[in-house]
Amino acid sequence: MKTAVIQFPGSNCDADAVYVAGELLGQQAKLVWHTETSLEGVDAVLIPGGFSYGDHLRSGAIAARSPIMHEVRRFAERGGPVVGICNGFQILTEAGLLPGALTRNDSLHFLCHDVHLRVERTDTIFTSAYRQGQVLRLPIAHNEGNYYADEETLARLRGEGRVLFRYVTPGGEVERAANPNGSQNNIAGILNERGNVLGMMPHPERAAEALLGGTDGRGLFESLLAAVVR
Amino acid sequence: MSATQSLRDRAATFGLTVEEFDLVTQAVGREPNALEAAIFGAMWSEHCGYKNSRPLFRVFPTTGPQVLQGPGENAGVVDIGDGYAVAFKMESHNHPSAVEPVQGAATGVGGILRDIFAMGARPFAVLDSLRFGDLSTPRTQHLLTGVVEGISHYGNAIGVPTVGGEVTFHPSYQENPLVNVMALGLMHHEDLAKGTLGAVGNKIVYVGSKTGRDGLGGAVFASADLSDASNEDRPAVQVGDPFMEKLLLEATLEAIQKGLVAGVQDMGAAGLVSSTCEMAYRAGLGIDMDLGAVPTREDGMVPMELCLSESQERMVLVPVPGREQELIDLLAKWELDVVVIGEVKEHDRYRLFWRGELVCDVPVAALNEAPKYTREGVESAEIRALRERDLSGVPVPEDLGAVLVKLMSHPTIASKRPIFERYDHQVMTNTVVVPGAADAAVMRVKGSRKGVAATSDCNPRFVYLDPYTGAAAAVAEAARNLACVGATPLAITDNLNFGNPHRPEVYYQLVQATQGIADACRALNTPVTGGNVSLYNQYNEAQADGSTRTVAIHPTPTIGMVGVLPDVSINATMALDSHPQSLYLLGN
Amino acid sequence: MTYLAKVYVTLKKSILDPQGRTVERSLHQQGYAEVRDVRVGKYIELTLEGERAEVEARVREISENILSNPVMESVRFEIEALQPA
Amino acid sequence: MTYLAKVYVTLKKSILDPQGRTVERSLHQQGYAEVRDVRVGKYIELTLEGERAEVEARVREISENILSNPVMESVRFEIEALQPA
Ligand SMILES: Nc1ncnc2c1ncn2[C@@H]1O[C@H](COP(=O)(O)OP(=O)(O)O)[C@@H](O)[C@H]1O
């Protein structure tokens, strides 16, 4: 699997993404600078976390309008898998590749701690390595992860099974107390209509090694690998 | 200010005493002009020239086989084996944080990170040591919230994890909080960069943010020396831009790794002047610089403002001759503006030009050789009495359980989770021991089995009562914290936060504390590789009779210590596993 | 001609504004009990050159496509001619 | 009477506005080369009850002491009477 990790000025989880998709998975991963205009020969695109353009104006807003995003859109239209993590999720919504928006955490604070997520579906290219309903422990680190969409969009997301991850209690219950940022419906990650674009706030790449305290995030990369190789 | 007053009469407006002004006249060989006087004032300030503290540093051990770079550069560097080294340093941003906590603390993080990547190291951990007054007051709540927000804003955005620190509360910090930030960077030995100029003919390149009138608001200059911009136009607060710094960081490291730079230095206190003339001093060479080339954010800036502005996110680079264009292209890729502002010269002068005119021409050496003062220290009788108070008569409380609860609920002891959860402590995916898990943080080193551990410590109450033993104890505590995660201590950086050194009782604390640090470092084989001094931390306390009295903060020599783990997977935390375990008490 | 555009970006009424709520609570605590409906938005100033109609069209584009996100924000703007310096 | 107060908080001219600078650059890259001097500030709305003069005094206090930091920001406000709903 050849992964392109898109690098914007201000991206800061780019090297972490390359480390997991490349080193840990034993695959190829390369950084692609935001002014580049080709994704030739790439199997998967990863838009990493960070503070692209300092998160100025709105998080993800300026990055979403940079040249490479045109190419990412075409890649997604061809059915190529695209994952946006944290700031990457914000960029995907700003670019219109995913519906809704990510607004300020309801606590108004940046939060960095582990959360529990429930895997809502396993018949996707991102979650085949997990069990249905499996509860994952992954870290979050964001200021603006509060997912918002209008009622109609939410109803569609639910109806079409496009909510892939929800914040839950360690026991797997969707409860207000398990929601770190005020996201509607405890949404932590969603898919596009076609199911090949994923945006999520938690950081699977930070939980891919036992040394760092957890391996629950690894399944996402393994699922993707299996899908691409197949 | 009367028009007839000579520069010498108003030496104080340049931060010089009359005696110092005369020393400048002697060194320059004539009376300095106002710009030159101000430049000397800045370079001879405590912050740049360490005129009160340097003599005290002589007691510190600074060498050892592990030390690759001792004091004197942007940061100290220690060897951790396998070809890797760690650059680290601590710096204070106390006064700015007292005025504007968010930006004050944020720019503190920005400044220390520049010191680290100017050494060629990639910053990979930040620790923050914070002291505030009474948490029940609105002022302290405002300061604490703001400082934490500032650190989190800057550190999170630039993508360096904040992995540890300490927060304590004591009334002596009510008006004058302390914000000490330590940063660590990782590098390969061969990438060690220095703040120097290389050879004659080398160009001096300015990169980063444009220069504004930042940091001149607090200056005491006579208005005649500045442009006619009103005071309103001279912000006392500097705003930090972590986004710009992230670009600077990536560009600087890439330039160093590609061998494009002969010298690097960040522009910190006293901005352009201190960075360039320190570089010249290290190289033993001179500089010719055109102030007109300095990119400005505002119109009408004059030489004094250009020289002393403390605008953030600026660096000085010296390209390797012949590779200037490569460097400029690289910086452009990172969307950074770059200008050549000067050249390295054979002579030993610091020469500045403005609109074709030579406006400053002074010896580099004199600028960098501030006079040194040793004073007389006397212990305060009041404090001695406190220390010697007989405590044998204090009764043991009956309900020790209640005492425990009371202690645990003191903000200094209570959990710091609400603070460290606002810091991204995992970005870069190296943090093996996270905040709250132990008293020191542990980072792995990708590409090696090694781990790096870091901690910051000081118990100011102890130092107040007994500065020698208290400061030594801070070093010992830091070493214990490292040992408890499985690391071997390597070296320390320190941040000496004290009151006004002209007061004998404060000077006494400084002398005793530095001696305590030195002796403890010798005993533990952890040399001092750098540090920072913040003096004049004091406040006015209202007295019963309506008068006020100047009181110094508790003396606070914060110790930042770095250690190495041979195998990072073998580490320890405080967690007790659920199965039966035994607890042992070591020591006496 | 040189124009100053003032752009106001506010969260849509239907969207909860946690920042506004926090400011409101703090105002209440500080004795301003009569304050309600606090909303915090953005105020952006920009200067640009051109003919009035064209400037207006450009500012509209910028405001609607870049300075605000229609999913959650409303935007309005004003334009005023600047005296030549 | 009920009043709507509109408060504008801007960074002082001499203070670095990283947000404005970044937005300006991005506008240039997206083809709006004629835009300059972009400054990003805050726009706060609040509703409050009282006599006009008193409301004005209260809003001034709130604006100057709470909603802005005089060390780095300028603040101005407008007050308009709201039609009773
Ligand atoms: N300001 C801070 N920033 C980051 N981490 C902090 C901060 N203050 C405390 N911590 C972390 O919280 C934990 C407990 O700290 P502290 O209460 O100071 O313990 P101790 O006094 O026993 O060293 C440590 O892991 C420490 O690094």
Side-chain angles (χ1 to χ4, degrees):
Chain A
M1 178 171 69
K2 206 164 163 194
T3 307
V5 174
I6 313 291
Q7 189 186 32
F8 299 97
S11 292
N12 67 28
C13 304
D14 43 352
D16 303 353
V18 168
Y19 183 74
V20 174
E23 205 108 334
L24 286 187
L25 253 61
Q27 303 292 313
Q28 286 183 55
K30 61 162 184 180
L31 292 173
V32 174
W33 185 238
H34 72 119
T35 53
E36 289 183 31
T37 49
S38 162
L39 288 170
E40 246 342 278
V42 164
D43 300 312
V45 168
L46 206 154
I47 308 186
F51 285 70
S52 56
Y53 292 94
D55 262 4
H56 292 316
L57 199 58
R58 293 179 310 281
S59 41
I62 299 179
R65 289 158 177 83
S66 55
I68 192 70
M69 287 309 292
H70 188 68
E71 223 24 58
V72 171
R73 183 171 290 111
R74 287 188 31 198
F75 181 81
E77 280 163 5
R78 291 198 302 266
V82 177
V83 185
I85 298 169
C86 198
N87 194 223
F89 186 9
Q90 295 160 343
I91 293 169
L92 289 173
T93 58
E94 278 284 346
L97 282 161
L98 289 172
L102 292 144
T103 64
R104 192 120 179 232
N105 294 350
D106 60 357
S107 65
L108 299 178
H109 295 308
F110 184 99
L111 290 176
C112 178
H113 57 69
D114 285 351
V115 295
H116 291 92
L117 298 187
R118 193 172 68 198
V119 181
E120 305 288 69
R121 272 175 65 184
T122 53
D123 58 341
T124 76
I125 55 169
F126 305 107
T127 50
S128 61
Y130 294 117
R131 277 176 287 108
Q132 179 73 29
Q134 186 175 343
V135 175
L136 312 178
R137 189 165 59 90
L138 296 184
I140 54 166
H142 61 246
N143 212 353
E144 296 179 336
N146 184 344
Y147 184 77
Y148 170 83
D150 58 32
E151 275 310 324
E152 199 191 315
T153 309
L154 284 176
R156 279 194 60 188
L157 287 175
R158 279 192 305 261
E160 294 168 8
R162 287 163 54 194
V163 177
L164 194 54
F165 299 111
R166 280 203 165 82
Y167 299 110
V168 291
T169 62
E173 301 303 319
V174 175
E175 278 175 20
R176 178 64 189 86
N179 185 339
N181 52 30
S183 278
Q184 283 175 321
N185 297 182
N186 282 36
I187 286 175
I190 57 168
L191 296 173
N192 67 343
E193 244 166 284
R194 186 167 170 176
N196 65 323
V197 177
L198 163 68
M200 64 189 296
M201 288 313 296
H203 285 275
E205 83 282 14
R206 295 187 183 183
E209 282 170 278
L211 181 63
L212 300 187
T215 53
D216 282 358
R218 212 179 153 111
L220 190 132
F221 299 96
E222 282 165 354
S223 304
L224 197 54
L225 179 58
V228 166
V229 169
R230 194 183 55 222
Chain B
M1 195 143 316
S2 100
T4 57
Q5 238 183 341
S6 71
L7 288 185
R8 184 173 183 274
D9 288 341
R10 59 187 186 90
T13 63
F14 304 110
L16 298 168
T17 62
V18 170
E19 294 73 36
E20 286 168 345
F21 188 92
D22 292 341
L23 286 177
V24 171
T25 303
Q26 226 176 61
V28 179
R30 59 174 162 78
E31 183 165 289
N33 63 34
L35 176 64
E36 291 165 340
I39 289 176
F40 269 96
M43 288 305 296
W44 287 7
S45 70
E46 193 60 40
H47 203 104
C48 296
Y50 294 99
K51 54 188 168 193
N52 290 293
S53 43
R54 174 101 40 175
L56 300 171
F57 297 166
R58 282 193 206 111
V59 295
F60 288 155
T62 57
T63 53
Q66 71 272 47
V67 177
L68 300 181
Q69 177 64 59
E73 273 285 345
N74 289 307
V77 180
V78 287
D79 183 12
I80 59 163
D82 293 353
Y84 287 96
V86 169
F88 70 107
K89 178 144 185 266
M90 192 185 297
E91 203 158 82
S92 65
H93 241 213
N94 305 336
H95 299 292
S97 302
V99 182
E100 214 302 308
V102 179
Q103 292 301 335
T107 51
V109 176
I112 191 67
L113 290 177
R114 282 193 297 283
D115 278 334
I116 300 302
F117 67 77
M119 298 301 296
R122 174 171 289 276
F124 76 125
V126 163
L127 292 91
D128 58 331
S129 168
L130 312 176
R131 321 271 166 194
F132 300 98
D134 178 355
L135 185 57
S136 67
T137 61
R139 174 170 170 83
T140 298
Q141 290 164 12
H142 164 74
L143 290 174
L144 172 63
T145 316
V147 164
V148 170
E149 187 187 325
I151 293 170
S152 108
H153 162 69
Y154 209 103
N156 298 350
I158 197 169
V160 179
T162 301
V163 297
E166 47 179 343
V167 190
T168 63
F169 299 87
H170 184 275
S172 83
Y173 306 106
Q174 184 68 18
E175 297 306 322
N176 193 318
L178 299 185
V179 176
N180 294 176
V181 186
M182 171 176 173
L184 286 78
L186 186 69
M187 67 172 124
H188 292 286
H189 285 193
E190 63 269 24
D191 289 330
L192 181 57
K194 303 233 169 156
T196 182
L197 294 175
V200 172
N202 284 359
K203 298 279 182 273
I204 297 167
V205 166
Y206 171 117
V207 54
S209 285
K210 291 185 166 56
T211 299
R213 294 189 175 92
D214 307 292
L216 295 162
V220 284
F221 307 126
S223 48
D225 301 327
L226 299 174
S227 60
D228 36 4
S230 67
N231 235 341
E232 178 80 343
D233 292 332
R234 272 182 224 112
V237 175
Q238 301 147 47
V239 171
D241 183 1
F243 172 54
M244 172 62 87
E245 177 125 325
K246 170 76 172 161
L247 301 179
L248 266 181
L249 182 164
E250 296 298 341
T252 306
L253 289 180
E254 196 177 323
I256 292 171
Q257 280 154 16
K258 289 199 166 141
L260 301 181
V261 293
V264 201
Q265 175 98 13
D266 88 292
M267 290 193 226
L272 183 60
V273 161
S274 83
S275 53
T276 48
C277 86
E278 277 172 23
M279 292 173 94
Y281 187 57
R282 291 189 194 118
L285 290 166
I287 278 186
D288 278 9
M289 218 158 57
D290 178 14
L291 293 173
V294 173
T296 58
R297 200 167 77 221
E298 290 171 78
D299 296 336
M301 290 185 65
V302 297
M304 182 107 53
E305 295 170 333
L306 294 166
C307 285
L308 302 178
S309 159
E310 297 191 341
S311 290
Q312 301 289 301
E313 289 93 25
R314 303 179 301 162
M315 308 278 291
V316 176
L317 301 184
V318 179
V320 166
R323 304 191 69 179
E324 290 87 356
Q325 195 53 45
E326 258 178 280
L327 178 66
I328 288 170
D329 292 345
L330 187 156
L331 296 171
K333 178 210 151 183
W334 288 102
E335 305 183 4
L336 292 165
D337 296 326
V338 24
V339 231
V340 175
I341 52 169
E343 203 179 294
V344 181
K345 293 287 180 187
E346 182 82 62
H347 59 64
D348 58 355
R349 316 284 294 177
Y350 189 72
R351 306 205 310 169
L352 301 175
F353 293 85
W354 173 245
R355 300 187 171 150
E357 214 181 297
L358 183 61
V359 288
C360 167
D361 183 2
V362 298
V364 165
L367 278 175
N368 286 279
E369 289 164 7
K372 302 286 180 281
Y373 301 108
T374 346
R375 301 175 196 282
E376 206 49 48
V378 182
E379 181 172 26
S380 144
E382 199 183 323
I383 300 175
R384 170 154 4 111
L386 279 176
R387 184 179 62 239
E388 289 172 352
R389 195 151 82 187
D390 181 11
L391 299 177
S392 59
V394 178
V396 175
E398 258 164 46
D399 187 353
L400 287 173
V403 173
L404 181 64
V405 170
K406 190 166 179 192
L407 280 174
M408 297 301 284
S409 62
H410 189 282
T412 295
I413 296 177
S415 167
K416 306 302 184 300
R417 181 171 296 279
I419 293 171
F420 63 68
E421 280 190 343
R422 299 210 188 138
Y423 302 145
D424 189 336
H425 45 258
Q426 290 170 314
V427 61
M428 299 183 88
T429 55
N430 294 324
T431 318
V432 174
V433 174
V434 297
D439 287 342
V442 176
M443 282 71 60
R444 60 111 168 254
V445 175
K446 282 182 184 141
S448 135
R449 294 175 64 177
K450 305 244 171 192
V452 173
T455 179
S456 76
D457 292 286
C458 179
N459 180 345
R461 281 171 184 272
F462 196 165
V463 184
Y464 174 75
L465 287 173
D466 184 341
Y468 175 85
T469 316
V475 177
E477 181 183 350
R480 285 196 306 275
N481 284 347
L482 293 189
C484 285
V485 294
T488 306
L490 288 176
I492 74 154
T493 175
D494 65 84
N495 204 139
L496 304 176
N497 309 272
F498 286 78
N500 179 349
H502 294 259
R503 297 161 62 101
E505 69 277 16
V506 171
Y507 197 75
Y508 170 85
Q509 294 172 331
L510 256 172
V511 173
Q512 292 290 313
T514 42
Q515 191 64 53
I517 293 172
D519 290 350
C521 284
R522 266 199 193 86
L524 292 165
N525 192 19
T526 53
V528 181
T529 62
N532 180 244
V533 177
S534 171
L535 302 180
Y536 307 98
N537 292 286
Q538 55 191 18
Y539 62 104
N540 291 323
E541 188 183 67
Q543 300 298 294
D545 63 3
S547 66
T548 60
R549 170 174 96 119
T550 303
V551 188
I553 57 156
H554 268 12
T556 314
T558 313
I559 304 300
M561 190 181 278
V562 169
V564 64
L565 292 85
D567 179 348
V568 73
S569 67
I570 303 173
N571 65 68
T573 64
M574 306 193 283
L576 298 178
D577 294 341
S578 48
H579 49 76
Q581 286 185 320
S582 310
L583 292 176
Y584 296 90
L585 181 64
L586 301 184
N588 47 27
Chain C
M1 205 42 208
T2 305
Y3 291 91
L4 173 67
K6 299 175 173 178
V7 183
Y8 306 86
V9 181
T10 47
L11 276 178
K12 283 186 180 162
K13 274 276 171 313
S14 59
I15 298 199
L16 204 65
D17 175 8
Q19 202 178 352
R21 212 173 39 187
T22 304
V23 172
E24 185 169 319
R25 211 175 312 133
S26 128
L27 288 173
H28 290 174
Q29 275 163 13
Q30 291 174 67
Y32 299 94
E34 76 272 36
V35 176
R36 38 190 183 79
D37 296 343
V38 179
R39 310 279 296 175
V40 180
K42 272 180 236 163
Y43 169 63
I44 303 159
E45 287 183 349
L46 24 110
T47 305
L48 62 185
E49 220 77 21
E51 287 314 304
R52 174 140 203 142
E54 172 207 357
V55 163
E56 194 158 325
R58 302 280 280 178
V59 172
R60 182 178 311 280
E61 273 174 36
I62 291 175
S63 300
E64 291 176 1
N65 302 337
I66 301 174
L67 298 182
S68 68
N69 179 346
V71 175
M72 54 181 185
E73 294 168 329
S74 313
V75 66
R76 68 191 164 80
F77 62 88
E78 292 155 13
I79 288 175
E80 59 192 57
L82 283 182
Q83 312 302 350
Chain D
M1 207 39 210
T2 306
Y3 291 91
L4 173 68
K6 297 176 174 179
V7 184
Y8 307 85
V9 181
T10 46
L11 279 175
K12 284 185 183 162
K13 272 274 168 318
S14 58
I15 297 243
L16 175 74
D17 177 7
Q19 178 146 221
R21 194 179 53 192
T22 308
V23 171
E24 183 169 319
R25 276 202 176 205
S26 140
L27 288 174
H28 291 173
Q29 277 163 12
Q30 291 174 64
Y32 299 95
E34 77 271 34
V35 176
R36 36 189 185 81
D37 295 342
V38 179
R39 308 281 296 175
V40 180
K42 269 183 248 166
Y43 168 63
I44 303 155
E45 288 183 350
L46 25 107
T47 305
L48 65 182
E49 220 77 19
E51 286 316 303
R52 172 139 203 143
E54 174 207 357
V55 163
E56 193 158 327
R58 301 280 281 179
V59 173
R60 182 179 309 280
E61 275 174 36
I62 291 175
S63 301
E64 291 175 359
N65 302 337
I66 301 174
L67 298 182
S68 68
N69 177 353
V71 185
M72 50 193 268
E73 293 167 329
S74 312
V75 65
R76 69 190 163 81
F77 61 89
E78 292 156 14
I79 288 174
E80 60 193 56
L82 283 183
Q83 312 302 351

